[in-house]
Amino acid sequence: MVRQLPYSAMRQVFERFRESEPEPKGELEHTNAYTLLVAVALSAQATDKGVNRATRPLFEKVSTPQQMLELGEEALIEHIKTIGLFRNKAKNVMKLSRILVEEFGGEVPNSRAALESLPGVGRKTANVVLNMWWGMPTQAVDTHIFRVANRTGIAPGKDVIAVERAIEDNVPADFARHAHHWLILHGRYVCKARKPNCAICVIADLCPKEGVE
């Protein structure tokens, strides 16, 4: 496993990320905490672009858990049938919507434990919602972050929880809020799995290039 970058290098990495993209944004379209939660839940094993195509017309009709319940599961399936695992995801969205109405007053909770108690909502989904809607410095580790964190030495770890903790422990606090978005975007568009584009990488001189031929 590649070694953890020293603190001085970590600061340089995130200073460069911030300089190139001062306010990184998630790419899932949403209008409030509820539509963000639904979009993130639907995005498992799917692309953000594919989810956005499905949810644009859906979110014109639905923006609250109660409206989702009124829409109904079959109508929801019609909206999201282009997304992988759509039937199971539809069931979970309906279940979590009912729980939000019955147990949370129709509001999306802002604690990780409460979010993870909802059907179809795991740690990564909870962390995305907490970060994107409430601005908490949570770290949602997906395949892009896991790869970049280990390849560059930013936050090496043997599994997603280890990488999440390494980010929390080693990324300077003033970069923590946007850290996971910078890493996702870097992995999605620069440090790609099969052929990383080191020629345009802003941290190439700081990177040990672990796993890069």
Side-chain angles (χ1 to χ4, degrees), residues 40-134:
V40 179
L42 294 176
S43 70
Q45 300 181 48
T47 66
D48 288 358
K49 290 181 180 179
V51 172
N52 289 338
R53 282 194 297 269
T55 58
R56 280 183 202 124
L58 172 64
F59 292 160
E60 289 178 1
K61 298 178 180 179
V62 171
S63 62
T64 69
Q66 184 60 47
Q67 289 175 345
M68 186 67 76
L69 294 177
E70 292 168 0
L71 179 71
E73 186 173 327
E74 290 306 313
L76 174 58
I77 286 174
E78 284 301 307
H79 279 282
I80 67 170
K81 62 186 179 182
T82 57
I83 300 174
L85 307 174
F86 64 91
R87 291 192 183 279
N88 189 56
K89 290 177 180 179
K91 289 182 184 299
N92 283 332
V93 168
M94 299 309 294
K95 289 178 181 177
L96 72 82
S97 298
R98 187 166 299 283
I99 292 172
L100 290 176
V101 169
E102 294 179 351
E103 299 182 19
F104 294 95
E107 300 294 327
V108 176
N110 62 353
S111 81
R112 182 189 286 128
L115 285 166
E116 285 191 69
S117 73
L118 299 172
V121 178
R123 187 179 183 89
K124 184 178 76 172
T125 295
N127 282 344
V128 172
V129 173
L130 293 173
N131 180 276
M132 288 182 63
W133 192 256
W134 282 286

Side-chain angles (χ1 to χ4, degrees), residues 11 14 18 24 127 131 135-140 164 167-183:
R11 282 213 66 89
F14 285 94
R18 183 169 63 186
N127 282 344
N131 180 276
M136 298 183 188
T138 51
Q139 309 301 328
E164 180 182 329
I167 295 172
E168 292 174 343
D169 290 344
N170 295 292
V171 172
D174 47 325
F175 299 108
R177 178 181 175 185
H178 293 312
H180 98 272
H181 276 132
W182 280 316
L183 293 171

